Amino acid sequence: MRSITMLSILVLGTASASGCSKTNQDQPAPAAPAPQAAPAAPAEKAAPSAAAGGVSAGGLRWDAPKPFVSRTPKSSMRAAEYGLESDAQSELAVFYFGADQGGTVEANMSRWISQFKQADGSEAPSKRGERSVHGMSVATVEATGTYNGGMGAPGAPPPAAISEAMLLGAIAKGPQGSVFFKLVGSRASVEAARPAFDLLIESLQPAN
């Protein structure tokens, strides 16, 4: 009888231990802690975009469409300088000398025209005009003939003369003084660039 009782105790003990072990195995394992994401790198600040028009002087800004190509000015007197895609010799120079500086419209136009001569040495034909651009008056001038080269860069020889040349010029009174635009080159190249020059002048507006 005692043997039977002991056997029963052993059987019950074994079953109990087996049941506990099964219960522990059926429970899902605790989830592993989620890996922490690495801290995000600080966002880089975007570089400021270039202002529309790119260049300004005398309180005015403008757009220079193709075929104009911006390049480094030859002298400090030039606020900007452009070449033409199809003609490296032709150029558009933009001058700004400061408030109330640079001379009158009449004096500058007369000087520009005097740089052109006909084959016999007489004054070249020219035409002057005036237009309104965004409420401001812009004087315009054009001339054709042999261009004597104008003024060269300081310390450099004067540019070579250009036969069959043409000038398209404009003088705009900006908030801080007059801005002078002078396009000179072969007549064919300048005539081809006339629409772009007109667009540039029409784009003139206060820089602020």
Side-chain angles (χ1 to χ4, degrees):
M1 187 70 174
R2 184 177 178 181
S3 298
I4 294 175
T5 301
M6 291 296 294
L7 180 60
S8 298
I9 292 172
L10 289 172
V11 171
L12 290 173
T14 302
S16 176
S18 176
C20 290
S21 175
K22 183 177 182 181
T23 301
N24 292 337
Q25 290 175 356
D26 288 344
Q27 290 179 351
Q36 292 184 344
E44 294 183 358
K45 293 182 179 180
S49 58
V55 181
S56 64
L60 294 178
R61 68 177 177 84
W62 60 87
D63 295 301
K66 290 184 177 182
F68 293 115
V69 179
S70 179
R71 62 193 189 192
T72 302
K74 291 184 177 69
S75 75
S76 58
M77 292 189 299
R78 298 186 177 191
E81 182 178 314
Y82 304 90
L84 294 178
E85 289 179 332
S86 60
D87 183 357
Q89 187 178 24
S90 299
E91 70 176 19
L92 168 60
V94 184
F95 302 91
Y96 173 67
F97 303 100
D100 301 320
Q101 301 295 315
T104 65
V105 169
E106 174 62 29
N108 280 278
M109 286 191 170
S110 295
R111 179 169 53 82
W112 290 352
I113 292 171
S114 70
Q115 294 171 347
F116 287 77
K117 299 295 181 183
Q118 297 192 72
D120 61 2
S122 60
E123 183 176 306
S126 60
K127 182 169 65 175
R128 307 187 193 198
E130 190 171 332
R131 62 206 285 189
S132 178
V133 179
H134 296 118
M136 65 184 148
S137 178
V138 179
T140 60
V141 62
E142 59 182 83
T144 56
T146 297
Y147 178 59
N148 67 16
M151 295 177 59
I162 305 174
S163 59
E164 290 296 320
M166 186 173 189
L167 156 76
L168 289 180
I171 302 175
K173 182 68 173 179
Q176 300 166 15
S178 294
V179 183
F180 305 82
F181 298 83
K182 183 184 179 185
L183 171 60
V184 176
S186 71
R187 184 168 185 170
S189 295
V190 173
E191 279 287 11
R194 183 192 289 271
F197 183 80
D198 288 338
L199 286 175
L200 185 155
I201 299 306
E202 287 295 329
S203 74
L204 286 168
Q205 58 185 293
N208 296 330

